[in-house]
Amino acid sequence: MRKVLISLARMGWVRAALIIGGLTTAGVAVATAQGPAAPAGVQKVRFGGDRNETRVVIDLDRAAAGKLISDGMSDQRLVMALPNVVVSGDLQGSGQGLVKRWVIDEAAGGARLRLDLADKAEVRRRFLLPPGDGATAYRYVIDLKAVGGGATAAPQALPRVTQAATPIKAAPLRLKKVIVIDAGHGGKDPGSLGANVHEKEVTLAAARALKDRLERSGRYQVVLTRETDTFIPLESRVQIARRADADLFISLHADSGPDASTRGASVYTLSDKGADRVGLVLEKDDWLMKANMPGRDRAVSQILLDLSQRATKNRSAAFAQLLLANVGQETALLRRSHRDAGFIVLLAPDVPAVLLEMGFITNPDDEAFLTTKSSRKRMVDAVADSIEAYFTPQLRKS
């Protein structure tokens, strides 16, 4: 998401507005006098050709345009923004010819196509074909050609995009999602105190167990904000997630209160007022800070930030609902279990984030639940199951 937004910020107000608003681009009308056009949906992605020339065809149910973000010449990863295009979860798979792997996922204002290239290649042409000649879908076509010698395999004919083609049969590519787990408190900050344990010990034990559970699946790259009893500033925890280009951030905590009978888990997501404090977690060299430098259009920066925050808040809320549904099967929930707040750890504008209060450490039953290995495993499994559901295309909502 961040790469797409950076590119838009460099374009200036008029061009950014055209892309964000989904107006006419490259001769393809995507809005009408009656209002913005409905977003296009991706039906499938097809490939043809060899290691010298490869054609990528994206089948869509409506007209759409693309914007090249990175040509892949430096790192062999081609990135393209697809404004006003929606995907159901992440679409991914193995490629053909010059494309090793591909993924289309959500990004601000639309979708993002990423191609991992087998060799250095250039985009020779891009164009949109309407339905016709037996094809019922719109087809966005990208033609790639090897540069710098390329491969020497015998060329194969490129597919005629005017004819329906067989979908790729390769198994879906498992691109690992990056999950950042934040064990609340630590070091000189012990957190709340229960009858037998400090909060910082409970959160670290749960974070380690969750990391182990997720890594065993082979589908996730897991980053802990702290792996030992050390103090990490709140702002630094958010920056760890952003530097890791995290797909999800989970901060683990244990609640406390003056009444020992109060118990139950709850989940926090970012409040509207909290979103105004995003400057607290942005670094001086952050792309949003650079967008506010002299010569940059501050209006562009603000609209891109708002767009990113809105999408991120929606994803955070979707994950929070999954989390409560699963955790609620293992332990009691507070009466108002989904709450919002301006906690610093929730401020990242481009990383979906939740803060999970796993229970009240000041309640004997909750403390026992969180400190006993077998019951803590039930909590950890509930969180892990929620992550699995969130990243399952059929269940994910954004």
Side-chain angles (χ1 to χ4, degrees):
M1 177 189 292
R2 194 172 307 130
K3 290 181 180 178
V4 176
L5 293 172
I6 293 170
S7 177
L8 293 177
R10 291 172 177 164
M11 295 179 189
W13 170 254
V14 175
R15 295 185 65 191
L18 286 173
I19 291 178
I20 295 170
L23 300 180
T24 303
T25 305
V28 180
V30 296
T32 67
Q34 288 73 30
V42 178
Q43 296 180 337
K44 61 186 174 184
V45 179
R46 301 181 280 119
F47 296 86
D50 52 36
R51 293 284 287 269
N52 291 309
E53 294 186 7
T54 301
R55 171 163 288 175
V56 184
V57 182
I58 305 172
D59 287 353
L60 305 161
D61 58 11
R62 295 177 184 271
K67 171 64 180 179
L68 189 63
I69 303 300
S70 173
D71 62 10
M73 295 300 290
S74 61
D75 56 4
Q76 294 187 197
R77 171 167 288 180
L78 186 149
V79 181
M80 179 172 292
L82 299 169
N84 207 35
V85 172
V86 296
V87 292
S88 177
D90 294 347
L91 304 177
Q92 51 192 307
S94 301
Q96 178 179 330
L98 289 166
V99 179
K100 291 193 298 185
R101 295 177 295 271
W102 63 273
V103 61
I104 299 180
D105 55 10
E106 298 166 332
R112 171 184 60 175
L113 168 68
R114 288 177 290 167
L115 302 177
D116 280 352
L117 303 178
D119 292 298
K120 286 191 175 182
E122 63 179 356
V123 178
R124 295 298 300 272
R125 62 185 69 85
R126 296 183 286 122
F127 54 92
L128 179 75
L129 287 175
D133 296 325
T136 59
Y138 286 87
R139 290 142 294 162
Y140 191 79
V141 182
I142 306 167
D143 283 341
L144 304 173
K145 183 174 178 60
V147 297
T152 58
Q156 301 175 14
L158 295 177
R160 288 175 53 85
V161 298
T162 55
Q163 299 177 354
T166 303
I168 298 171
K169 300 297 184 181
L173 181 64
R174 291 290 188 183
L175 296 181
K176 291 186 177 182
K177 298 294 183 181
V178 179
I179 313 297
V180 174
I181 305 171
D182 173 43
H185 307 281
K188 65 182 182 180
D189 174 17
S192 300
L193 175 63
N196 304 295
V197 68
H198 282 103
E199 182 181 0
K200 67 177 183 178
E201 301 169 60
V202 171
T203 61
L204 183 58
R208 287 170 171 168
L210 180 57
K211 179 177 186 288
D212 291 342
R213 159 68 197 271
L214 292 174
E215 288 183 336
R216 283 199 302 271
S217 73
R219 290 187 288 273
Y220 303 98
Q221 175 187 340
V222 182
V223 177
L224 297 183
T225 58
R226 66 180 183 96
E227 300 189 43
T228 59
D229 183 19
T230 54
F231 174 75
I232 306 293
L234 297 176
E235 296 86 349
S236 298
R237 298 171 190 244
V238 182
Q239 290 163 2
I240 288 170
R242 300 193 73 227
R243 289 170 186 160
D245 196 19
D247 294 289
L248 189 64
F249 177 92
I250 306 172
S251 187
L252 301 178
H253 286 258
D255 219 333
S256 64
D259 185 352
S261 66
T262 303
R263 65 172 307 199
S266 60
V267 176
Y268 285 86
T269 53
L270 185 63
S271 65
D272 291 334
K273 291 183 178 179
D276 296 334
R277 305 167 64 207
V278 65
L280 293 175
V281 299
L282 296 181
E283 298 172 289
K284 292 181 180 180
D285 61 347
D286 193 277
W287 70 271
L288 284 169
M289 299 297 286
K290 290 180 179 179
N292 283 327
M293 292 172 60
R296 303 281 185 174
D297 193 324
R298 294 178 65 89
V300 174
S301 173
Q302 189 59 49
I303 196 171
L304 295 177
L305 174 59
D306 291 345
L307 187 64
S308 177
Q309 285 181 309
R310 189 181 311 120
T312 300
K313 285 183 64 180
N314 289 341
R315 294 174 189 171
S316 300
F319 177 68
Q321 292 302 313
L322 289 170
L323 191 56
L324 287 170
N326 285 291
V327 170
Q329 296 180 27
E330 303 299 337
T331 189
L333 298 177
L334 281 180
R335 185 169 162 184
R336 187 168 65 88
S337 54
H338 187 180
R339 307 182 171 204
D340 58 2
F343 297 140
I344 288 179
V345 292
L346 300 177
L347 291 183
D350 45 9
V351 180
V354 301
L355 186 149
L356 171 63
E357 296 279 10
M358 297 179 289
F360 276 73
I361 200 172
T362 48
N363 175 271
D365 293 330
D366 277 1
E367 182 184 26
F369 182 82
L370 295 174
T371 54
T372 303
K373 187 174 181 180
S374 58
S375 54
R376 182 173 60 230
K377 181 180 183 299
R378 288 162 51 197
M379 169 65 75
V380 165
D381 286 344
V383 177
D385 290 344
S386 303
I387 294 171
E388 293 280 6
Y390 177 71
F391 288 113
T392 298
Q394 290 81 5
L395 298 179
R396 184 173 177 181
K397 299 177 182 178
S398 301

